[in-house]
Amino acid sequence: MNGPMWMATVFLLTIVIGVPIPFAAGIATVVGLYIADIPLALLAQSAYNAFEPFPLTTIPLFVLAGQLMEKGGMSEKLIQIAQRMIGAYKGGIGLVTVVACMFFSALSGSGPATTAAIGSITIPTMLKEKYRPRFAGAVAAAAGAMGSMIPPSNLLIIYGLVTDESIPRLFLAGIVPGLFLGFLLCVVTYGIAKKNDYGGTGERFTLVPLLWALWEGKWAIGAPVFILGGIYAGFFTPSEAAAAAVFYGLFVGLFIYRGLTWRGVYESLRFTAILAGSILFILGSTKAFGQLVTIFDIPDMVGAAFSGIIDYPWLVMLLIGVVYIFVGMWLESIPQIIIFTAVMLPIATQIGVDPIVFGVFTVMTCEVGFLTPPIGVNLFVASKLTKTSVEDISVGVVPLLIPYLFIIVLLAFWGDWVTWLPDLVMGPSLE
Amino acid sequence: MLLSSIRALESRFEEIFCLTGLSVMATCIFAQVVLRVFFESAFHGAEEIAVYGMVTAIYLGCSLAIRERAHIRITFLVEKLPHKGQVFCIVLADLLWMAFILLLLKESITWIQLLVQFDYISPALGINQKFPQSIVPLALCLMIGRMAQVYYRWLVRDHAEGLPL
């Protein structure tokens, strides 16, 4: 066996017996360093240096901002707005869940957090309206996964840091696929609700209650305008926007909506710390992994495996998508992006795929990972909220995976629709 | 009184540093924006302090996650085994995990010794890097202590029932 094979074997074996993923990746890196005869001092050096890039602060800050906004009462306001927009249609509260998740995705960078924020309110209502629990949980899980696509997105930030691509450009690239995905999820939700006769009061849409709800929720709906508008107007860098979002969430939660208590602030900080410690820690244990990828020529080895089909870029992308979805079923998204982007991006650029498109493609496949057992985090969250089994939600979520898979296939064939908006706002990217 | 204070400190030790680190990080970056946008001034070193806050939160957060057993593991396959097999796998996984932490601790102590010998000063604030970078070996020691605590509780308090998760 060669170095990469040893690394992969050790990584898999340690994960299978229950070593937490950041440490399993660290152990595999140690094996790689040993085989390549590189001093282990590199490991110690990168244990600190990996965290020195300032843009990395964006991730814990957006997690914290999302927590504060959720606990501060913003999710209720967003649901009220969505309710006034589409709540009266067939499958109304299911559609409200999707639309409210789209709104909340623009505040939070995390899929599971979006599922929890919106699902905790809409799932009990769906159950009260006699929706089948597996469907109620599946809608919240599937719509919550949009949190990782609609900016701000923690996964796009990690991808930007790993590849040195512009984070504002990646955020802009996530908007159109995110909105399109939301629309497709609404279509599927409506179709299932109509078939099963779920909800729907049949009331006609009227503008005044919507305008009133928009006015009531202006601080919640204003948050994405403030965050993203600030970035693109040149007021903030993404890290600064995240810090501003934290204070915005704190101010609105404490003084405007008054849903936030000091206990809630403490819990939000504690949640963020545990998330940073259990997930971001992987950067410290695997920074040397990136160097090993180059030393062992892993992209060339993987590229050789694709050499027979290199003339068919769409086929290469589809195969990468299959690999990503399979890996995403087992691995957390951040480790997945860190480990696999270093290997797969050179192949994608070789076949002419724009790195920005590849970033959106990568995150879209990770979102499927959120929704597939055994490690579908959104499924776990939705299962807790509906008090039904993960297996049951996994069955319910299958039709809602269709929009995700459709967009992945679309991206494999045609990526220009993703770069259209960033090119329009920021100008074409330099080759 | 003293004992209860020590106990309270022990039960909230990581939280104190994590919460401080995250608060410092958010405040410094936000202060930088406020100073630039409203006062056309700059907060010299804000980014450096923010990074110190984040590193503290990440390393102490890692220890907190060990204490709370909040690290994400794939136990899907382990759960299919009989109880003894489950215990064997989880204990072996934790031993490997500990071995990695001990190795990282050894290497990071060597690294800090190098930083002590050869001054490495940060460009913005002029802080000798041996101080902030010492958070790595210190937090690793804390992680080892927390892991020992988890196992002590599992073996002594829970009489090795269930899993040490």
Side-chain angles (χ1 to χ4, degrees):
Chain A
M1 273 204 302
N2 56 14
M5 286 300 283
W6 272 111
M7 285 173 70
T9 309
V10 168
F11 184 56
L12 281 176
L13 283 178
T14 47
I15 277 188
V16 163
I17 63 164
V19 177
I21 294 158
F23 297 94
I27 294 168
T29 305
V30 170
V31 171
L33 289 173
Y34 181 76
I35 293 171
D37 204 17
I38 296 171
L40 292 177
L42 184 65
L43 202 65
Q45 209 178 337
S46 56
Y48 185 89
N49 295 350
F51 301 106
E52 281 186 326
F54 175 68
L56 204 58
T57 55
T58 319
I59 296 175
L61 286 173
F62 270 132
V63 171
L64 179 58
Q67 282 289 305
L68 293 170
M69 288 178 189
E70 182 202 339
K71 290 194 189 329
M74 284 202 194
S75 33
E76 281 96 335
K77 300 288 177 193
L78 295 174
I79 289 166
Q80 278 169 17
I81 294 170
Q83 178 80 41
R84 295 294 176 201
M85 281 169 80
I86 43 163
Y89 294 106
K90 192 56 76 188
I93 194 71
L95 296 173
V96 166
T97 306
V98 177
V99 174
C101 280
M102 285 167 77
F103 288 148
F104 197 82
S105 300
L107 309 178
S108 157
S110 151
T114 307
T115 303
I118 302 300
S120 60
I121 301 167
T122 59
I123 286 176
T125 318
M126 281 193 267
L127 297 179
K128 219 181 282 173
E129 291 190 8
K130 305 285 180 221
Y131 282 54
R132 204 172 176 185
R134 73 158 59 151
F135 176 66
V139 170
M146 279 189 294
S148 297
M149 178 53 68
I150 295 177
S153 155
N154 288 341
L155 298 185
L156 286 174
I157 294 168
I158 279 286
Y159 179 85
L161 288 171
V162 171
T163 58
D164 273 339
E165 289 297 327
S166 153
I167 292 169
R169 187 173 277 278
L170 281 163
F171 277 4
L172 276 176
I175 292 176
V176 175
L179 295 179
F180 186 40
L181 181 62
F183 169 74
L184 292 178
L185 285 173
C186 278
V187 171
V188 175
T189 305
Y190 178 78
I192 296 172
K194 199 166 166 86
K195 189 179 163 217
N196 294 289
D197 198 26
Y198 290 143
T201 59
E203 281 173 38
R204 283 189 61 194
F205 170 79
T206 43
L207 190 62
V208 176
L210 172 63
L211 290 176
W212 184 245
L214 280 169
W215 178 250
E216 284 277 294
K218 60 184 177 297
W219 289 93
I221 211 84
V225 178
F226 171 68
I227 296 167
L228 299 175
I231 295 175
Y232 297 111
F235 282 122
F236 312 136
T237 63
S239 303
E240 291 172 346
V246 167
F247 282 89
Y248 183 91
L250 205 58
F251 173 73
V252 174
L254 286 174
F255 304 112
I256 309 282
Y257 293 152
R258 299 181 182 203
L260 192 61
T261 58
W262 289 108
R263 178 85 204 163
V265 176
Y266 168 79
E267 281 168 4
S268 302
L269 284 162
R270 193 172 182 278
F271 176 89
T272 308
I274 290 185
L275 193 118
S278 58
I279 294 182
L280 287 185
F281 186 82
I282 194 173
L283 288 165
S285 60
T286 55
K287 196 188 173 198
F289 179 87
Q291 282 135 311
L292 285 171
V293 166
T294 315
I295 289 167
F296 286 128
D297 279 337
I298 296 177
D300 283 353
M301 288 161 68
V302 178
F306 285 109
S307 59
I309 53 166
I310 210 87
D311 293 332
Y312 304 97
W314 57 271
L315 190 54
V316 175
M317 286 291 278
L318 285 180
L319 280 175
I320 293 176
V322 170
V323 171
Y324 272 7
I325 289 171
F326 180 75
V327 172
M329 290 165 77
W330 302 90
L331 216 57
E332 245 283 318
S333 300
I334 289 181
Q336 179 181 346
I337 291 176
I338 292 169
I339 293 170
F340 283 86
T341 302
V343 178
M344 296 297 192
L345 181 64
I347 297 163
T349 47
Q350 195 190 331
I351 58 170
V353 176
D354 188 308
I356 298 282
V357 176
F358 193 68
V360 172
F361 179 83
T362 302
V363 171
M364 198 60 85
T365 57
C366 287
E367 291 186 330
V368 177
F370 283 140
L371 300 171
T372 43
I375 316 292
V377 194
N378 282 23
L379 298 179
F380 285 104
V381 176
S383 135
K384 272 187 193 162
L385 294 171
T386 44
K387 298 187 181 68
T388 185
S389 69
V390 173
E391 288 80 4
D392 207 21
I393 308 269
S394 310
V395 175
V397 89
V398 171
L400 293 153
L401 283 174
I402 296 168
Y404 285 95
L405 298 175
F406 175 73
I407 293 184
I408 288 169
V409 172
L410 195 61
L411 285 167
F413 281 90
W414 182 43
D416 290 353
W417 62 288
V418 168
T419 48
W420 169 78
L421 187 60
D423 286 351
L424 181 77
V425 176
M426 303 174 77
S429 61
L430 298 170
E431 292 298 326
Chain B
M1 177 68 184
L2 181 68
L3 199 66
S4 63
S5 303
I6 292 172
R7 273 200 188 134
L9 181 68
E10 184 273 326
S11 67
R12 292 278 177 268
F13 187 77
E14 285 92 342
E15 278 95 333
I16 295 167
F17 285 93
C18 287
L19 270 51
T20 310
L22 289 171
S23 307
V24 165
M25 173 175 69
T27 310
C28 283
I29 302 174
F30 187 59
Q32 190 180 31
V33 179
V34 172
L35 283 173
R36 191 183 61 237
V37 174
F38 297 106
F39 302 96
E40 291 180 0
S41 174
F43 180 2
H44 186 63
E47 295 190 359
E48 193 178 318
I49 299 172
V51 168
Y52 295 149
M54 180 179 65
V55 175
T56 306
I58 288 174
Y59 272 92
L60 274 292
C62 190
S63 176
L64 175 61
I66 291 178
R67 198 185 83 197
E68 304 286 313
R69 303 308 263 165
H71 278 286
I72 301 162
R73 302 169 185 253
I74 295 177
T75 52
F76 170 71
L77 292 169
V78 173
E79 279 165 11
K80 306 260 182 241
L81 298 171
H83 180 69
K84 278 188 180 171
Q86 290 183 19
V87 173
F88 175 78
C89 279
I90 296 298
V91 172
L92 178 64
D94 285 348
L95 283 172
L96 284 170
W97 179 3
M98 265 308 96
F100 174 73
I101 290 183
L102 284 167
L103 179 70
L104 193 54
L105 177 64
K106 175 185 161 284
E107 295 298 331
S108 55
I109 289 172
T110 313
W111 173 246
I112 297 294
Q113 283 169 339
L114 261 173
L115 289 177
V116 170
Q117 280 176 32
F118 306 99
D119 284 347
Y120 171 34
I121 308 294
S122 70
L125 292 174
I127 293 175
N128 192 321
Q129 286 301 289
K130 67 186 173 197
F131 297 115
Q133 295 207 19
S134 295
I135 188 77
V136 177
L138 289 173
L140 291 170
C141 288
L142 191 60
M143 287 178 210
I144 294 166
R146 288 303 189 189
M147 185 68 100
Q149 196 177 29
V150 165
Y151 269 84
Y152 174 79
R153 284 179 182 159
W154 178 63
L155 289 168
V156 176
R157 194 182 62 190
D158 303 338
H159 307 292
E161 278 180 22
L163 289 172
L165 287 172

